Amino acid sequence: MPDSNAPAEALRHRFLTLEILRYNPQEAGSLPRLQSYRIEEADGMTLFIALNEIRTRQDPTLQFDFVCRAGICGSCAMMVNGRPRLACRTLTLDYPDHITLTPLPFFELIGDLSVNTGKWMRGMSERLATWLHGREETVDVTRIEERMEPEVAEAIYEMDRCVECGCCVAACGTAQMREDFVGAVGFGKIARFRLDPRDTRTDDDFYEVIGDDRGVFGCMSLLACHDVCPKNLPLQTQIAFLRRKMAMVG
Amino acid sequence: MKTILTDVLVIGGGLAGLRTAIGAKQRGHEVIVLTLVPPKRSHSAAAQGGMQASLANVTNGIGDNEDIHFGDTVRGSDWGCDQIVARMFVNTSPKAVRELAAWGTPWSRVRRGDREVIINSQKVTLTERDTAHGLIAQRDFGGTKKWRTCYVSDGTGHAMLFTTSDQAIRHGIEVHERVEALALIHDGARCYGAVVRNLITGELSAYLAKATAIAAGGAGRLYRVTTNAVICEGMGHALALETGVAALGNMEAIQFHPTGIFPAGILVTEGCRGDGGLLRDVDGHRFMPDYEPEKKELASRDVVSRRMEEHIRKGKGVPTRFGPHLWLDITLLGRRHIEHNLREVKEICGSFLGIDPAEKWIPVRPAQHYTMGGVRTRHTGESPYLKGLFAAGEAACWDLHGFNRLGGNSVAETVVAGMIVGEFISDFCDRPDNNIAPPLTLAQEFVRREEIRLQELLAANGQESAFALLAEMQDTMTRCVGIFREAEGLSEGVTTLQRLLQRSGNLKLTGKSWGSNPELVAAYRLKRMLKLALTIAYGAYQRTESRGAHFREDFPQRNDRDWLKRTLASWPDEDATLPHLAYERLEVRKMELPPGWRGYGTRNYIDHPDTPIRQAEVERLREKLDAADRFAVQEALMPYRDKLPAVLRNHNERLDEPLEDNAHA
């Protein structure tokens, strides 16, 4: 059990320096620069708490995105000391007293740490048709549902846990070179629907959308995506599997 | 001024908004969804535990049906809900689960044979039927007589939201992300759309529509300690309130969830207790059976939260320098169960507390969780006060939840309301007399008004900081309008909020940018949030009884005689510092389930004079129809079926209740 009566010395906290990339493309004359903020660390401080404290007490113009602040919505991905992470789930105590924050690369920059992942994700979804392609157009919802093996439902959910935070794309070597690359998030979606017995698409259909260099054959297997995924999705196995299947079709 | 014309304008891209939009689109109407954040980031994603629907697939759900779900919902609401709406809801919820299954949601499924579960801290073996194998599974939740909560591991809301959002993409529904509706465009009698600000560029546009639906979620951020996402600031509620015409229902009904992680307030799901988790105090003692021998940890949320705070007041909390807390113990569920069915809980405990819940207890204390009140609508979702204005989901009060919502009934409500309101909104748009000639001059006036307000805010040279006033408001709400309420504290709360409202006219902004500007956003939301906070605090002050989550220490009885009525708050005078309150009576004589004891919590209430009369009437009818099937009995007690859209009237099939021909429809 955690120690409930914190000893007095725990009250003395470190001072942290957060170096944050500032740039507002909306403002004429704004140039990218690093700006330093100094704050006192608190117990259980996350980057969510730290950034909000900076915004309310030091610099109300600082831009960043948080929604759930509990690691489930995927809004707050940013580069923390050079690595993509969910900021809300990042405890400052795991870091040295100097932390550098920059926006996710690859995505359209809105300002400072805020990037437009939503726009890119919708484009990806449209391109890959990431919805269930069921057998029937309309289902009689008064009737007992179609059965599914419990293990199959679990396996689908395992891939369905993706929160579209963009960390995998930000860490991707191919995406740095090809802006039309669908990224691990896209492969994860295809893998998810491929597993789903309710989906009628065949490997030939999936080949149509990911069977080229913008898709699985563009992947260089560097697999940083797998290492940075905050949901620990099994991206490595899923991408390798998809590539084998697509190579068989091709 | 840019003007955008559509048939249906949906404000909010969470489950309720998206499902409403899909419904209208499927009926052939053009729809635009406005959202602060990408839809998949909506707060709907945070619903972990599940969705109530009486499918009756698992062994402990056998015998469940709409009647039992209805009874649980009404008792949960402490008789504050609209029973017609509750009936519409329980008949549609199984359809909503099945529709989502057909759209791809990976609902957790029943596995045939024996499995070990924890019930009342005992290991029990349950045997699932062969015939149920592969059907959608249910788990136990608070305040329910049967295992009814359908789930996707502990990421139910996430999975539902992704399914629904992908369907919206499939249907080509336009979603305008990172925009905010600042005001409804209306002439006092009809709503024509909204003034919308682009949060990136600051550009203002007029969106004009035949029908406008508010589905913008709850208002948890009015409180300092809340499980709600940072976007849940009640701006949908505020849009309606600011018209001065539309009313908000039961704003004082605020739910506190028993298990917010202490002190951050991040939610750990009710599924923890549903699956057998226990609450313990500073001595490690399991205290809930002392208070609630029947339902223990699984009484309704208002009751459990109150018992926890009561126990803390007795000095049984664990002291820390942030205040006292209690423990949630799920270690008895075992590592395998936690890592499979409660993995989100495990991740949250790891990331925010640095503990492994399979080994250590979780520090918890009740935190604001849900806004039962909302934009008052009819059962169709339309505001009775402003034609063409609709609302659905947490932002609405059609009134499914009364004074306390059951766990698992909120995500259920989002999609059910979307299915129902999507149909009614389409009917509305289909009627030729609801066509509009785009009121361009009116739209221009509203856009101009917002433009001037924003310019004034940017130019203001006062003394106050918007962020500081917001923090004071949140602190006041948590301190004065929390779980235990009494006249003195509420009156202090109201006065403090009024003062804050006055001070909010004296702001000074540091950042002067017209475009993306978080300080400007806080500044223009501030006044609206304060007005909403006042509808809650003042409504709570006026309601001199205890009902559901609204608990008055100075009036501990539920008082059906004087208070079986819904609070309606409106704000006709923009410069006033208090809302106008009116009340709407609930008709006991028309209730299928007349008021009584909930079966948990204190048995302490003053009857309405009509209650014994109606009770006798109900008993007489039940006796007379003894031989009739349950549908006929229900129909005789409180006919509601004709209130549902025709496509949703049919009965629901179950393993033990086959559907022959839907002849009843």
Side-chain angles (χ1 to χ4, degrees):
Chain A
M1 255 165 276
D3 184 5
S4 49
N5 295 305
E9 54 267 29
L11 295 174
R12 281 202 302 275
H13 291 113
R14 296 189 296 175
F15 272 87
L16 304 173
T17 303
L18 268 63
E19 233 180 319
I20 300 176
L21 188 85
R22 303 297 310 274
Y23 175 47
N24 185 353
Q26 301 292 324
E27 232 163 59
S30 172
L31 289 172
R33 65 192 187 284
L34 280 172
Q35 190 170 343
S36 289
Y37 299 93
R38 201 172 135 80
I39 55 163
E40 190 183 355
E41 195 171 35
D43 282 347
M45 183 177 256
T46 59
L47 285 179
F48 166 72
I49 297 169
L51 285 168
N52 273 290
E53 194 164 306
I54 292 173
R55 181 145 91 189
T56 50
R57 302 218 177 136
Q58 299 183 35
D59 188 344
T61 66
L62 186 62
Q63 293 181 58
F64 49 77
D65 292 317
F66 287 98
V67 177
C68 75
R69 59 78 169 95
I72 46 184
C73 78
S75 300
C76 64
M78 58 181 71
M79 304 298 275
V80 183
N81 284 352
R83 210 178 154 87
R85 291 184 58 90
L86 294 183
C88 74
R89 271 199 178 179
T90 303
L91 289 163
T92 54
L93 93 120
D94 294 335
Y95 283 78
D97 58 9
H98 194 105
I99 305 173
T100 306
L101 302 177
T102 55
L104 281 192
F106 184 80
F107 298 99
E108 177 184 295
L109 181 73
I110 292 172
D112 303 336
L113 299 172
S114 172
V115 292
N116 208 335
T117 47
K119 185 174 166 186
W120 189 86
M121 293 294 168
R122 167 121 185 182
M124 179 272 296
S125 276
E126 285 171 351
R127 187 168 136 203
L128 302 183
T130 63
W131 52 84
L132 191 90
H133 294 235
R135 274 179 289 281
E136 292 148 29
E137 196 42 43
T138 51
V139 179
D140 182 355
V141 291
T142 63
R143 298 284 169 185
I144 287 178
E145 63 277 10
E146 201 181 311
R147 288 168 201 269
M148 182 185 278
E149 284 303 312
E151 297 76 19
V152 173
E154 273 178 36
I156 296 170
Y157 178 61
E158 188 60 23
M159 292 310 293
D160 205 53
R161 291 186 306 114
C162 171
V163 293
E164 299 189 1
C165 61
C167 284
C168 59
V169 185
C172 174
T174 304
Q176 308 307 316
M177 298 180 295
R178 305 192 66 107
E179 59 179 38
D180 56 359
F181 189 57
V182 301
V185 54
F187 300 141
K189 304 264 166 193
I190 295 294
R192 179 242 175 274
F193 288 106
R194 215 182 149 274
L195 274 174
D196 199 320
R198 296 167 294 194
D199 201 291
T200 53
R201 282 173 288 182
T202 63
D203 279 345
D204 286 337
D205 298 323
F206 291 128
Y207 186 84
E208 286 298 310
V209 288
I210 56 162
D212 59 14
D213 285 352
R214 301 178 307 154
V216 275
F217 302 122
C219 169
M220 302 184 290
S221 303
L222 298 174
L223 295 169
C225 53
H226 185 93
D227 298 336
V228 301
C229 175
K231 290 284 153 185
N232 300 311
L233 294 182
L235 295 170
Q236 183 173 2
T237 27
Q238 290 300 333
I239 294 173
F241 183 72
L242 268 185
R243 214 162 31 172
R244 235 177 10 251
K245 289 288 169 193
M246 291 302 110
M248 281 157 65
V249 175
Chain B
M1 177 188 76
K2 193 159 86 181
T3 308
I4 293 157
L5 198 62
T6 184
D7 295 321
V8 180
L9 180 66
V10 177
I11 301 170
L15 275 171
L18 290 172
R19 185 59 188 82
T20 304
I22 292 169
K25 182 80 178 187
Q26 282 176 327
R27 289 270 304 265
H29 303 288
E30 276 314 307
V31 186
I32 295 176
V33 176
L34 307 178
T35 165
L36 299 173
V37 299
K40 285 174 178 157
R41 316 238 186 269
S42 304
H43 189 53
S44 305
Q48 297 165 11
M51 152 167 185
Q52 285 204 44
S54 57
L55 299 190
N57 291 329
V58 295
T59 295
N60 281 7
I62 292 176
D64 198 13
N65 59 35
E66 296 84 0
D67 297 354
I68 302 176
H69 190 186
F70 169 78
D72 286 344
T73 301
V74 175
R75 289 186 188 93
S77 80
D78 220 353
W79 279 272
C81 74
D82 182 324
Q83 296 196 6
I84 295 277
V85 169
R87 266 293 169 191
M88 292 166 63
F89 164 74
V90 298
N91 195 56
T92 308
S93 193
K95 297 177 177 67
V97 172
R98 286 168 172 165
E99 176 179 86
L100 284 164
W103 285 356
T105 303
W107 295 109
S108 295
R109 302 289 172 142
V110 181
R111 189 192 315 272
R112 66 167 71 86
D114 291 351
R115 65 190 175 116
E116 222 163 61
V117 298
I118 308 281
I119 300 177
N120 193 18
S121 79
Q122 304 293 316
K123 275 194 181 157
V124 178
T125 303
L126 288 181
T127 310
E128 296 300 347
R129 296 173 290 180
D130 276 351
T131 48
H133 184 78
L135 297 180
I136 294 169
Q138 291 79 42
R139 60 161 49 133
D140 200 7
F141 247 46
T144 64
K145 289 209 166 89
K146 296 281 181 186
W147 288 27
R148 186 185 301 125
T149 306
C150 306
Y151 59 98
V152 182
S153 183
D154 65 349
T156 313
H158 164 87
M160 290 168 68
L161 181 63
F162 271 55
T163 301
T164 309
S165 183
D166 284 337
Q167 288 293 321
I169 296 172
R170 172 191 164 200
H171 287 288
I173 291 172
E174 255 186 78
V175 179
H176 295 188
E177 296 176 5
R178 293 181 183 267
V179 298
E180 175 169 5
L182 293 184
L184 294 177
I185 298 168
H186 68 99
D187 57 12
R190 199 198 194 290
C191 178
Y192 295 102
V195 179
V196 177
R197 176 170 185 268
N198 182 316
L199 291 168
I200 300 175
T201 63
E203 184 190 19
L204 296 181
S205 318
Y207 282 64
L208 298 174
K210 283 194 228 178
T212 305
I214 294 175
R221 287 280 154 180
L222 298 176
Y223 285 80
R224 178 168 52 80
V225 184
T226 176
T227 64
N228 281 193
V230 301
I231 50 171
C232 302
E233 298 186 305
M235 287 303 98
H237 294 74
L239 283 173
L241 190 66
E242 292 272 286
T243 62
V245 186
L248 305 181
N250 287 343
M251 287 305 286
E252 64 270 34
I254 296 285
Q255 179 171 87
F256 296 83
H257 195 289
T259 56
I261 281 187
F262 184 83
I266 292 167
L267 176 72
V268 285
T269 172
E270 183 154 326
C272 289
R273 283 170 293 128
D275 290 0
L278 307 175
L279 291 168
R280 297 186 186 277
D281 65 13
V282 64
D283 307 318
H285 171 64
R286 180 190 177 195
F287 58 92
M288 276 308 293
D290 305 343
Y291 296 100
E292 295 294 329
E294 178 95 7
K295 295 292 285 183
K296 307 176 184 75
E297 280 84 358
L298 287 173
S300 64
R301 287 177 179 170
D302 58 323
V303 170
V304 178
S305 291
R306 231 164 13 241
R307 297 304 197 188
M308 289 170 74
E309 290 296 324
E310 196 178 336
H311 204 59
I312 286 174
R313 282 178 170 195
K314 288 182 182 163
K316 292 295 183 184
V318 182
T320 77
R321 62 195 179 87
F322 302 107
H325 67 76
L326 294 161
W327 299 113
L328 172 65
D329 172 11
I330 59 169
T331 59
L332 69 165
L333 306 186
R335 180 170 296 281
R336 206 199 111 76
H337 182 88
I338 293 170
E339 287 176 0
H340 272 81
N341 295 55
L342 299 168
R343 57 198 287 173
E344 197 67 52
V345 173
K346 184 168 188 280
E347 277 186 33
I348 287 172
C349 288
S351 310
F352 297 103
L353 298 167
I355 64 161
D356 176 357
E359 283 172 11
K360 291 195 167 166
W361 298 347
I362 309 166
V364 292
R365 190 169 181 179
Q368 192 287 344
H369 183 59
Y370 191 80
T371 315
M372 267 81 72
V375 180
R376 178 74 185 126
T377 74
R378 302 191 179 102
H379 70 278
T380 56
E382 189 178 7
S383 164
Y385 312 98
L386 209 49
K387 186 177 169 183
L389 176 66
F390 290 75
E394 190 171 353
C397 177
W398 58 341
D399 187 354
L400 173 63
H401 307 302
F403 277 76
N404 177 64
R405 168 179 75 72
L406 289 187
N409 263 358
S410 69
V411 266
E413 182 191 30
T414 61
V415 280
V416 165
M419 289 170 87
I420 294 174
V421 177
E423 289 298 323
F424 283 124
I425 226 171
S426 299
D427 292 348
F428 177 90
C429 290
D430 282 343
R431 281 196 294 276
D433 52 329
N434 288 330
N435 283 332
I436 56 167
L440 294 175
T441 312
L442 185 72
Q444 203 160 23
E445 280 166 21
F446 270 82
V447 171
R448 183 73 195 128
R449 194 186 72 182
E450 293 307 314
E451 198 170 43
I452 291 169
R453 283 182 180 173
L454 293 174
Q455 281 161 347
E456 282 173 356
L457 271 177
L458 285 171
N461 208 3
Q463 277 93 43
E464 305 282 0
S465 139
F467 290 124
L469 294 188
L470 271 177
E472 269 191 65
M473 172 199 70
Q474 291 168 329
D475 194 56
T476 306
M477 290 300 284
T478 290
R479 200 161 39 83
C480 302
V481 202
I483 294 180
F484 287 106
R485 304 169 173 183
E486 38 73 41
E488 203 182 321
L490 288 170
S491 154
E492 184 204 323
V494 170
T495 316
T496 310
L497 293 169
Q498 283 179 300
R499 257 201 311 272
L500 289 172
L501 184 58
Q502 276 154 356
R503 285 167 64 194
S504 72
N506 187 28
L507 295 180
K508 182 185 171 66
L509 272 61
T510 332
K512 302 293 185 189
S513 166
W514 177 256
S516 180
N517 181 346
E519 191 186 17
L520 177 64
V521 172
Y524 65 68
R525 288 183 190 165
L526 172 66
K527 193 166 268 186
R528 298 164 202 191
M529 289 176 81
L530 282 165
K531 286 186 174 177
L532 276 187
L534 274 158
T535 64
I536 298 173
Y538 191 56
Y541 176 70
Q542 292 295 332
R543 185 173 282 272
T544 48
E545 67 149 358
S546 292
R547 185 180 297 275
H550 169 70
F551 188 81
R552 287 284 300 255
E553 291 186 272
D554 42 357
F555 297 94
Q557 286 183 304
R558 188 182 86 206
N559 182 346
D560 292 340
R561 186 189 61 209
D562 304 317
W563 283 104
L564 197 53
K565 49 193 182 186
R566 188 173 293 122
T567 310
L568 296 175
S570 58
W571 210 289
D573 173 8
E574 201 184 325
D575 299 322
T577 61
L578 280 181
H580 171 74
L581 297 187
Y583 294 91
E584 183 181 6
R585 268 194 321 155
L586 275 67
E587 298 289 344
V588 176
R589 297 294 289 269
K590 290 186 180 159
M591 286 181 184
E592 178 176 339
L593 186 63
W597 183 49
R598 302 166 87 189
Y600 43 79
T602 326
R603 190 174 194 145
N604 188 13
Y605 53 88
I606 302 168
D607 262 333
H608 190 278
D610 287 348
T611 299
I613 305 168
R614 180 59 181 162
Q615 190 61 50
E617 225 167 56
V618 167
E619 276 159 31
R620 218 171 27 249
L621 269 166
R622 282 193 187 280
E623 248 166 66
K624 199 173 108 190
L625 294 169
D626 192 29
D629 71 6
R630 65 183 183 92
F631 300 107
V633 176
Q634 195 286 319
E635 177 80 18
L637 291 173
M638 189 186 71
Y640 79 97
R641 213 162 274 266
D642 62 318
K643 299 277 200 308
L644 275 170
V647 292
L648 296 173
R649 283 179 197 163
N650 288 349
H651 294 160
N652 299 298
E653 187 180 30
R654 292 178 185 80
L655 283 176
D656 300 314
E657 205 170 24
L659 262 193
E660 271 128 45
D661 48 3
N662 254 322
H664 293 285

